[in-house]
Amino acid sequence: MKPNIALVIGDPAGVGPELVVKLLADGTAVQRANIFVIGNRASLGDAEQVTGIALNLATVAEGDIGHRDFDVPVLLAWQGIDTPGFARGRADAANGKFMIDMLTLGARLTHARKTDALCFAPLNKGALRAGGMQQQDELRWFEDLLDCHNYTGELNVLDTLWTSRVTSHVALKDVSALLTPEGVADAANLITESLKASGKAAPRVAVCGLNPHNGDNGNYGTEEIDIIAPGVALAQSRGIAVDGPFPADTIFVRAKNGHYDGIVTMYHDQGQIAMKLMGFERGVTVQGGLPIPVTTPAHGTAYDIAGQGVANVGATLNAFNLACRMGSHRAVTTN
């Protein structure tokens, strides 16, 4: 059977519903998975109008999940299905609470193995916080919802190249003090296991240095010598196929040319700038380390173009396809 994918429409005030409608109109999507859309009729209907795409989604009950394959995408019947539409381009408590409710349902369905993976369209963090999310980001929220105590981290994916981070949403001035050999090894393990969960049997991982020219043997900083290299050695002692540290301004060239499948970066923008320059409209974010596969486009809600029908569906399609791969791998390895 095809994997079952919970597909959340994202922020209804942004381009999420439009992206979901465009994804569902792509005939290849339904060939890859049974797609259970979590959203409201009003937002999806509005998205159909602005994109010029007519889907006419049938609704199914939660009890229908897992019993048969569907040859068309379907809208899941849930408590929020008839929620009225939302004003475009506004981050407030109403759309924030609605997003939290959709994510909660999608995560719980996937945790219960009714669906194999969760894919959600872009969210707005300001709206989420206004709607009641107290954690710093969606990943920490998922941790609490799923009672997850694993090492977790946000992973970014562009085609076949993945990145993980030792530090993430912190001030740049704090990065050095937050680096530890254990953190480097954990980030290397996270990206390795996540690549395996996507079907890559033997991932090859590289680790970035922190300082210009990889510290130049201590002339421009000693984090490479004191922290990062010991972290690489620790990861290797745990059986992880990892090399480094390498200068951050050259390792992405080698990885892009096929030498590595994943790169461990030291801070948020060290990897994000490179990945988004290589393919802003194709990038995917994976919520790594959770007990369920969770993917989303790496771009935001694009309030400025919401309602115009011009949002590029490329990253959403990639996020969906990756959710299908990870969901299929999960089903195979646990059955």
Side-chain angles (χ1 to χ4, degrees), residues 204 253-261:
R204 301 160 300 166
V253 177
R254 295 181 63 186
K256 183 181 178 183
N257 290 336
H259 289 89
Y260 290 100
D261 306 298

Side-chain angles (χ1 to χ4, degrees), residues 142-176:
F142 278 118
E143 283 182 5
D144 291 343
L145 178 72
L146 301 172
D147 194 26
C148 172
H149 304 288
N150 300 333
Y151 177 86
T152 63
E154 195 173 86
L155 303 164
N156 289 101
V157 182
L158 181 65
D159 302 329
T160 59
L161 178 60
W162 292 52
T163 63
S164 65
R165 311 169 193 151
V166 180
T167 69
S168 188
H169 297 118
V170 300
L172 190 57
K173 65 181 178 59
D174 297 330
V175 168
S176 178

Side-chain angles (χ1 to χ4, degrees), residues 296-310:
T296 186
H299 61 74
T301 52
Y303 280 170
D304 58 322
I305 60 170
Q308 298 179 26
V310 298

Side-chain angles (χ1 to χ4, degrees), residues 177-227:
L178 293 171
L179 298 178
T180 64
E182 186 76 22
V184 172
D186 285 343
N189 181 68
L190 175 67
I191 196 170
T192 298
E193 293 304 313
S194 298
L195 277 159
K196 289 179 179 178
S198 73
K200 189 73 176 180
R204 301 160 300 166
V205 174
V207 174
C208 286
L210 174 68
N211 297 297
H213 302 293
N214 217 30
D216 189 36
N217 296 313
N219 289 317
Y220 307 136
T222 63
E223 285 85 355
E224 288 77 12
I225 298 169
D226 299 335
I227 301 170

Side-chain angles (χ1 to χ4, degrees), residues 20-329:
V20 167
V21 165
K22 289 182 179 182
L23 169 67
L24 299 179
D26 185 326
T28 63
V30 75
Q31 294 173 14
R32 296 206 61 184
N34 298 310
I35 307 170
F36 300 93
V37 180
I38 301 175
N40 59 327
R41 291 190 179 98
S43 295
L44 287 164
D46 182 63
E48 290 180 75
Q49 184 175 11
V50 300
T51 59
I53 297 170
L55 294 174
N56 299 316
L57 295 176
T59 59
V60 299
E62 184 178 325
D64 292 324
I65 301 175
H67 295 296
R68 63 186 177 93
D69 278 342
F70 289 85
D71 57 4
V72 293
V74 293
L75 179 62
L76 196 63
W78 69 295
Q79 62 181 9
I81 192 171
D82 290 319
T83 301
F86 296 83
R88 296 190 187 106
R90 286 174 49 184
D92 56 30
N95 56 319
K97 176 65 165 55
F98 188 68
M99 284 185 274
I100 292 171
D101 289 344
M102 290 189 293
L103 290 174
T104 299
L105 176 58
R108 287 182 173 160
L109 287 173
T110 308
H111 196 241
R113 298 187 178 276
K114 292 185 176 181
T115 51
D116 298 304
L118 168 62
C119 178
F120 61 87
L123 309 173
N124 182 281
K125 287 181 171 57
L128 289 170
R129 291 194 180 96
M133 185 177 287
Q134 299 178 354
Q135 297 81 357
Q136 67 177 207
D137 54 29
E138 303 93 295
L139 177 58
R140 307 308 166 199
W141 179 84
F142 278 118
E143 283 182 5
D144 291 343
L145 178 72
L146 301 172
D147 194 26
C148 172
H149 304 288
N150 300 333
Y151 177 86
T152 63
E154 195 173 86
L155 303 164
N156 289 101
V157 182
L158 181 65
D159 302 329
T160 59
L161 178 60
W162 292 52
T163 63
S164 65
R165 311 169 193 151
V166 180
T167 69
S168 188
H169 297 118
V170 300
L172 190 57
K173 65 181 178 59
D174 297 330
V175 168
S176 178
L178 293 171
L179 298 178
T180 64
E182 186 76 22
V184 172
D186 285 343
N189 181 68
L190 175 67
I191 196 170
T192 298
E193 293 304 313
S194 298
L195 277 159
K196 289 179 179 178
S198 73
K200 189 73 176 180
R204 301 160 300 166
V205 174
V207 174
C208 286
L210 174 68
N211 297 297
H213 302 293
N214 217 30
D216 189 36
N217 296 313
N219 289 317
Y220 307 136
T222 63
E223 285 85 355
E224 288 77 12
I225 298 169
D226 299 335
I227 301 170
I228 304 174
V232 171
L234 178 60
Q236 292 169 339
S237 74
R238 296 174 177 174
I240 302 169
V242 59
D243 299 323
F246 297 106
D249 60 352
T250 58
I251 190 56
F252 278 91
V253 177
R254 295 181 63 186
K256 183 181 178 183
N257 290 336
H259 289 89
Y260 290 100
D261 306 298
I263 298 176
V264 176
T265 63
M266 295 301 110
Y267 58 92
H268 184 280
D269 284 6
Q270 191 176 46
Q272 286 288 72
I273 292 172
M275 296 288 271
K276 290 187 176 182
L277 277 172
M278 288 190 287
F280 179 77
E281 293 179 332
R282 304 197 312 276
V284 175
T285 297
V286 175
Q287 309 292 345
L290 296 173
I292 62 173
V294 181
T295 70
T296 186
H299 61 74
T301 52
Y303 280 170
D304 58 322
I305 60 170
Q308 298 179 26
V310 298
N312 189 310
V313 73
T316 301
L317 181 59
N318 289 343
F320 171 79
N321 287 337
L322 183 53
C324 292
R325 292 208 312 271
M326 297 182 78
S328 295
H329 186 268

